[in-house]
Amino acid sequence: MRIFVPIKIVPTIVNSNAIKPSSNIEVIQRMSNFFKANNGKLLILTGAGVSTDSGIPDYRGPQGTYVINKNYKPIFYHEFAGYIQNIVTQNVDGLHQKAGTKNILELHGTLHEVHCMQCGHIQKRSNYQDILNELNPEWKEFLNQIESFKIKPKVRPDGDVDLPSNTSYETFRYPSCDQCKKGIYKPSIIFFGENIKSSVKLIASDMVKDCSAIMVVGSSLVTYSAFRLIKSAHDSGKNIVIINSGETRGDNLAWLKIEMLCGDILPLISQQITELIDFQK
């Protein structure tokens, strides 16, 4: 059971027209009203802050590194399901799916799938990993030693690890594509320097057009792929709420900016909404 103790919430006012809540109670009330006013038409854009509050470290935050953590638990969003139309996430960890959330667009792909670079065939990352383990038993043992902490490699900010300098890759084997028998697989994520698929961009843009407002949760909006969605919503006259610990690229476009960890404020909002629903029954 998670117990949340209300603390003072200090919203960052980003323009002269922004609401200026004077207390945490007022913030919770205004956010509850925001959810109700956009009932069923709210678009959520999530970033690394959602994962870090669930136990999955990011690489832009204060800690700056990933760690091996298979026991992460998603902070809950199903309480808001009736108020949300769609979710666009920059994360690739499958966190929202683990929480049971629907209507999700993974802007930067997913780590849970691999695809053929030639024909596009997709298969689960876990299945592909099993094949790699069978082809490379010595690497499987090395991985087991890492997971049991018998070996503690240096973890890079992008999640990769520095292997010993005498490590040989000459014997490493990998399968060709199951379908075309020619291509090789890669993780189905957008690496730095790669472009997001046009089809994904189109879906994201349509979600912005169809929503009545946007709430950004745990994102600094550093990547333009996310920032452009916020800018599009702002240019269309839609309200934008940003909940993030630290400055974001979209602060000057926000209707309300709450400088706080999403894991601290969302449960309080959820509690308020639940109490209102119970009262109205």
Side-chain angles (χ1 to χ4, degrees):
M1 179 178 180
R2 300 180 66 183
I3 300 176
F4 297 91
V5 179
I7 61 176
K8 186 176 181 181
I9 303 170
V10 182
T12 300
I13 305 305
V14 295
N15 60 59
S16 59
N17 297 320
I19 298 172
K20 301 178 180 181
S22 58
S23 67
N24 60 325
I25 295 177
E26 185 180 356
V27 172
I28 300 302
Q29 186 62 57
R30 289 190 180 278
M31 286 301 299
S32 298
N33 291 338
F34 175 74
F35 268 93
K36 290 187 292 182
N38 296 284
N39 189 9
K41 295 287 290 181
L42 186 61
L43 176 62
I44 307 295
L45 173 63
T46 67
V50 173
S51 294
T52 55
D53 278 11
S54 301
I56 306 175
D58 71 345
Y59 51 85
R60 287 200 180 94
Q63 302 303 320
T65 58
Y66 284 106
V67 296
I68 298 174
N69 185 355
K70 293 185 176 181
N71 297 316
Y72 67 85
K73 299 180 186 296
I75 55 178
F76 52 90
Y77 286 93
H78 53 276
E79 288 87 346
F80 303 109
Y83 300 90
I84 298 172
Q85 185 174 47
N86 294 297
I87 293 179
V88 176
T89 184
Q90 300 169 255
N91 301 333
V92 297
D93 49 37
L95 180 72
H96 293 298
Q97 289 87 336
K98 187 174 182 179
T101 311
K102 308 296 182 182
N103 301 328
I104 303 168
L105 176 66
E106 294 173 307
L107 196 62
H108 297 152
T110 175
L111 278 172
H112 294 276
E113 293 179 350
V114 295
H115 68 273
C116 175
M117 298 177 66
Q118 184 157 327
C119 73
H121 177 252
I122 297 174
Q123 66 169 300
K124 291 183 178 180
R125 174 69 178 267
S126 58
N127 293 342
Y128 183 70
Q129 188 64 49
D130 289 340
I131 297 174
L132 290 178
N133 290 340
E134 292 177 3
L135 293 175
N136 304 278
E138 68 282 5
W139 283 87
K140 171 59 177 174
E141 176 58 27
F142 182 73
L143 179 61
N144 289 338
Q145 291 179 343
I146 292 178
E147 293 180 343
S148 63
F149 296 102
K150 292 180 180 179
I151 298 177
K152 297 181 180 180
K154 180 181 179 182
V155 182
R156 297 178 180 177
D158 61 359
D160 287 340
V161 297
D162 283 329
L163 298 177
S165 58
N166 61 346
T167 300
S168 174
Y169 306 94
E170 294 180 0
T171 60
F172 188 85
R173 301 170 62 196
Y174 52 87
S176 57
C177 174
D178 288 346
Q179 185 162 295
C180 70
K181 310 300 181 182
K182 297 179 181 179
I184 59 175
Y185 290 99
K186 72 176 287 286
S188 296
I189 61 174
I190 304 300
F191 288 100
F192 290 108
E194 292 183 329
N195 295 320
I196 295 175
K197 292 182 179 179
S198 298
S199 59
V200 174
K201 290 182 180 180
L202 180 59
I203 294 173
S205 296
D206 287 343
M207 286 182 173
V208 172
K209 293 177 182 177
D210 292 341
C211 76
S212 59
I214 292 185
M215 185 170 77
V216 179
V217 183
S219 174
S220 59
L221 300 173
V222 171
T223 61
Y224 187 75
S225 57
F227 175 73
R228 72 178 184 86
L229 301 178
I230 301 305
K231 187 177 185 304
S232 175
H234 178 268
D235 293 344
S236 299
K238 299 178 180 181
N239 283 336
I240 299 167
V241 170
I242 298 178
I243 301 175
N244 189 66
S245 179
E247 295 182 359
T248 82
R249 189 177 183 179
D251 282 359
N252 65 327
L253 304 179
W255 166 68
L256 176 66
K257 165 72 187 297
I258 298 177
E259 187 82 20
M260 191 176 181
L261 294 173
C262 52
D264 290 337
I265 187 174
L266 291 181
L268 300 179
I269 299 173
S270 172
Q271 181 180 359
Q272 175 74 4
I273 292 176
T274 301
E275 290 176 354
L276 287 174
I277 293 175
D278 291 341
F279 178 78
Q280 293 171 359
K281 289 181 178 180

